[in-house]
């Protein structure tokens, strides 16, 4: 029996209307740039609200270093993922948690998306791809907090040719999964990383594998 969730008709796309009386940007003030090497800077963004008062909102910025999130598909049609330790979700009672996600990372200054995708794929999985393709338009990570958008990249014909080359702060294990099992992991929500869920559905739709 086909999953009902995947058979729902797609809604007609409606362009968002322009809203009047919206906040007006004033300036940014840097709060912390210690993570600038990762393309991230904490800022306090100032806005003039419609009623005239000023609001200061804490944001994480770095749009000039738009990251790539890579969907690696091997020559055997298996999906390469990484099980990674993420510091923000490990504290208190939540210790030793690894999260399943796609490889990816921020571009270096002036780096093109293709070079970034090749580099991050090799560093985190040891794999090389025969072809790389951008899927859709860049997606906002978390528009309430972050200014950054990520580029979804489909990497076809991936073959593991080297070991990993990880940063000192990275703890990553490579995981292989069939396309069927990967799709099931999305449907039954055993994959909980947001960017991986979005990229996964976008690529599966692009490949015609959601019907």
């Amino acid at each position: 029996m086909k999953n009902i969730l995947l058979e729902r008709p797609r809604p007609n796309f409606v362009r968002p209307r322009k809203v009047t009386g919206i906040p007006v940007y004033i300036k940014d003030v840097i709060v912390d740039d210690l993570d600038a090497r990762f393309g991230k800077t904490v800022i306090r963004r100032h806005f003039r609200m419609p009623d005239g008062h000023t609001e200061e909102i804490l944001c994480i910025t770095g749009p000039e270093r738009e990251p790539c999130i890579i969907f690696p598909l091997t020559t055997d049609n298996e999906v390469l993922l990484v099980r990674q330790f993420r510091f923000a979700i490990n504290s208190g009672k939540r210790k030793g948690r690894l999260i399943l996600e796609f490889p990816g990372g921020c571009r270096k200054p002036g780096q093109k998306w293709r070079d970034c995708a090749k580099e991050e794929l090799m560093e985190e999985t040891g794999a090389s791809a025969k072809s790389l393709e951008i899927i859709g338009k860049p997606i906002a990570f978390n528009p309430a907090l972050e200014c950054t958008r990520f580029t979804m990249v489909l990497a076809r014909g991936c073959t593991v040719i080297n070991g990993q080359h990880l940063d000192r702060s990275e703890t990553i294990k490579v995981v292989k999964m069939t396309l069927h099992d990967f799709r099931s992991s999305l449907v039954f929500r055993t994959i909980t990383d947001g960017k991986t869920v979005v990229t996964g559905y976008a690529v599966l739709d692009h490949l015609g594998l959601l019907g």
Side-chain angles (χ1 to χ4, degrees):
M1 182 176 178
K2 291 186 177 180
N3 191 291
I4 296 177
L5 174 66
L6 302 178
E7 294 183 338
R8 293 177 181 171
R10 298 182 184 180
N12 293 326
F13 178 75
V14 178
R15 291 188 178 278
R17 64 185 179 86
K18 187 175 182 179
V19 180
T20 58
I22 62 175
V24 176
Y25 168 79
I26 301 174
K27 64 178 179 179
D28 290 343
V29 176
I30 294 177
V31 176
D32 185 350
D33 63 354
L34 292 178
D35 285 327
R37 65 192 176 102
F38 299 115
K40 299 174 184 178
T41 300
V42 180
I43 61 171
R44 197 169 293 280
R45 182 156 286 179
H46 297 241
F47 290 90
R48 184 179 300 106
M49 304 303 288
D51 64 3
H53 83 279
T54 299
E55 283 285 349
E56 299 180 11
I57 307 297
L58 201 65
C59 300
I60 300 174
T61 187
E64 71 282 357
R65 296 186 60 183
E66 199 170 88
C68 290
I69 305 301
I70 305 122
F71 186 119
L73 194 59
T74 72
T75 52
D76 296 323
N77 278 331
E78 290 183 311
V79 183
L80 293 180
L81 298 108
V82 293
R83 197 175 296 279
Q84 184 163 193
F85 181 92
R86 290 296 193 181
F87 295 96
I89 62 171
N90 281 276
S91 63
K93 295 181 179 179
R94 297 181 174 182
K95 296 178 180 178
R97 298 179 67 197
L98 300 177
I99 190 165
L100 195 62
E101 57 186 287
F102 283 133
C106 289
R107 306 181 198 183
K108 295 181 173 65
Q111 190 178 41
K112 302 297 184 182
W113 71 267
R114 187 178 298 275
D115 295 327
C116 173
K118 285 181 180 179
E119 184 175 290
E120 293 296 335
L121 180 62
M122 179 62 70
E123 287 181 356
E124 296 190 7
T125 69
S128 176
K130 288 185 178 178
S131 67
L132 298 169
E133 176 185 359
I134 287 181
I135 304 298
K137 295 184 178 180
I139 302 293
F141 262 111
N142 177 4
L145 177 64
E146 297 192 48
C147 310
T148 307
R149 302 177 303 167
F150 65 88
T151 299
M152 299 181 291
V153 179
L154 170 58
R156 299 179 191 255
C158 291
T159 305
V160 176
I161 59 174
N162 284 319
Q164 294 169 295
H165 298 280
L166 303 177
D167 293 337
R168 293 180 65 184
S169 62
E170 291 180 319
T171 302
I172 295 175
K173 297 179 181 179
V174 180
V175 175
K176 283 186 180 181
M177 194 177 288
T178 66
L179 275 168
H180 178 271
D181 288 346
F182 174 73
R183 174 177 154 169
S184 296
S185 295
L186 292 180
V187 172
F188 295 105
R189 301 177 183 86
T190 55
I191 292 178
T192 57
D193 174 63
K195 62 186 182 298
T196 299
V197 172
V198 171
T199 302
Y201 272 116
V203 172
L204 290 180
D205 180 58
H206 177 74
L207 296 174
L209 297 176
L210 286 185

